[in-house]
Amino acid sequence: MTPIQKRSALGAILLSAGLLLTGCADKPGSAGWCETQKAIPKGDWTGDDRKSYAKHCLLDATTIGSEKWCENLDEKPKQDWTTGEVAEYGEYCVIKQ
């Protein structure tokens, strides 16, 4: 293997590892994300962090993937679900059960 091929292979491995690690990050508004945010000093939060925390983490019924959130979405007519709700329901209420 030439030095250029070795560098290219190493670059591909590092890129793959980076993609895998970012794929594991909790989605803003999910229970895991809310727990992580609690540990971060509020002064370090972005404006989007503040909005997401207020919208999803203060009440269990609004925390994406919480039992109450899944129950509330079950009661909502499917034709009224947003595309995001469909994806989140599949990820947090079906797959994680």
Side-chain angles (χ1 to χ4, degrees):
M1 199 177 239
T2 67
I4 292 175
Q5 290 173 324
K6 287 180 183 179
R7 278 187 286 190
S8 295
L10 179 60
I13 290 169
L14 292 174
L15 178 62
S16 297
L19 291 173
L20 285 173
L21 291 175
T22 57
C24 296
D26 288 318
K27 176 183 171 86
S30 68
W33 182 86
C34 292
E35 288 302 314
T36 301
Q37 284 304 112
K38 287 179 187 176
I40 297 173
K42 304 238 183 319
D44 293 344
W45 290 11
T46 66
D48 286 339
D49 290 341
R50 287 182 183 88
K51 284 191 269 183
S52 292
Y53 190 86
K55 182 177 179 182
H56 297 291
C57 303
L58 296 178
L59 297 173
D60 183 50
T62 60
T63 302
I64 296 171
S66 70
E67 190 173 317
K68 186 66 177 162
W69 182 85
C70 292
E71 289 172 6
N72 286 345
L73 207 51
D74 279 334
E75 295 170 3
K76 184 177 180 180
K78 304 272 189 279
Q79 67 268 18
D80 294 341
W81 289 15
T82 65
T83 304
E85 288 172 333
V86 170
E88 291 160 351
Y89 184 85
E91 181 178 351
Y92 294 101
C93 304
V94 176
I95 294 175
K96 290 198 177 183
Q97 287 182 353

